[in-house]
Amino acid sequence: MIFDTHAHYTSRRFDSHRDNVLNALPAQGVVGVVECGIDLDTSRAALALSRTRPWIFAAAGIHPESLIDEDASTVRTFGGDWRAEMVQIEPLYEDPRVVAVGECGLDHHWPVPTDAQLALFEAELQTARTHELPILIHDREAHAETYALLKKYRPKGILHAFSGSAEDALWIARQGMFLGFGGALTFKNARRAVEAVRALSLENIVLETDCPYMAPEPLRGRECHSGMIQYTAAKVAEIKSVPVEEVLRVTEQNARALFGGQGI
Ligand SMILES: [Zn+2]
């Protein structure tokens, strides 16, 4: 059964057909989805969406890109004052359907000011600790800084869309974190991700989409949804020479164990 640990169904890209996409998922084997907020507005929307179906759960947080995204409430409503936005997000963590802090992390691909994103990420690590919640981490071209903060805070959670080396993957697993793999694992140039999956035990891996983006091969470039995780799971099964059913069973168990304290 498919547990998608990282989705963005509140994206405007789904506005014309969101219900159709979501209603089709259970028949494709989808039994769990964590819908990730990237600012106050989408965190509230994620919680609202999680109330529409028992198998959808929410994560609330501020994504580093939201610091410079004109469309994000971080800029639009708060003028970049992420501390004020965090105050508004804070009550959401009291809701049992909010099972994680995130999506948050560090991004050096886009020109996000370094000091601001580091301060924001540390505040969210502290929030995860305070509320004893897992954290969903985005690390794009910021491995060293991310790993230093993992060492400092020792959070539970997922390093999503993992793009580091096999050695890094093993170290992160030893810290008690899960590594999240999505459609990019199936791409032709995914040599590092394949090596990471090969090195890791299935017990340290969870599956994800990051939908509407990152559809796996053979559907690369299309609008992605959680049902497509079957292709990512098949790739993991091929790398590890185990049946795809085992990959889906163990990764679902991993997700439930991680979020389980929150009643999943
Ligand atoms: Zn995401």
Side-chain angles (χ1 to χ4, degrees), residues 224-243:
C224 186
H225 61 71
S226 309
M228 292 183 187
I229 279 181
Q230 61 169 299
Y231 297 104
T232 308
K235 182 70 185 183
V236 174
E238 178 198 315
I239 296 166
K240 302 206 74 70
S241 304
V242 296

Side-chain angles (χ1 to χ4, degrees), residues 186-205:
T186 68
F187 297 171
K188 281 198 179 65
N189 61 356
R191 194 182 51 81
R192 272 159 76 91
V194 167
E195 289 308 315
V197 167
R198 203 188 310 280
L200 286 165
S201 151
L202 266 188
E203 277 66 30
N204 302 121
I205 292 173

Side-chain angles (χ1 to χ4, degrees), residues 86-232:
M86 287 282 286
V87 169
Q88 300 283 309
I89 291 175
E90 186 70 23
L92 302 182
Y93 299 117
E94 300 302 327
D95 194 297
R97 300 207 66 77
V98 175
V99 297
V101 175
E103 174 176 4
C104 58
L106 299 172
D107 193 310
H108 290 317
H109 182 76
W110 300 106
V112 185
T114 300
D115 289 353
Q117 60 172 323
L118 276 170
L120 168 61
F121 185 34
E122 280 215 63
E124 293 183 287
L125 283 158
Q126 192 57 57
T127 297
R129 180 181 276 182
T130 303
H131 291 274
E132 297 181 349
L133 285 170
I135 190 163
L136 308 179
I137 299 177
H138 167 104
D139 161 17
R140 192 162 186 200
E141 300 168 21
H143 297 330
E145 287 157 305
T146 301
Y147 301 165
L149 288 170
L150 291 184
K151 231 180 206 161
K152 181 172 172 188
Y153 286 89
R154 301 296 302 263
K156 298 277 174 242
I158 299 171
L159 200 58
H160 122 86
F162 181 69
S163 61
S165 67
E167 290 92 330
D168 290 353
L170 290 172
W171 180 81
I172 291 158
R174 280 198 302 274
Q175 303 299 302
M177 298 275 297
F178 290 97
L179 291 296
F181 293 92
L185 181 69
T186 68
F187 297 171
K188 281 198 179 65
N189 61 356
R191 194 182 51 81
R192 272 159 76 91
V194 167
E195 289 308 315
V197 167
R198 203 188 310 280
L200 286 165
S201 151
L202 266 188
E203 277 66 30
N204 302 121
I205 292 173
V206 291
L207 301 178
E208 62 177 43
T209 54
D210 215 12
C211 66
Y213 306 107
M214 304 304 275
E217 295 285 6
L219 306 172
R220 186 173 183 177
R222 293 223 219 143
E223 180 181 277
C224 186
H225 61 71
S226 309
M228 292 183 187
I229 279 181
Q230 61 169 299
Y231 297 104
T232 308

Side-chain angles (χ1 to χ4, degrees), residues 6 8 36 63 103 160 210:
H6 194 112
H8 297 281
C36 301
H63 192 289
E103 174 176 4
H160 122 86
D210 215 12

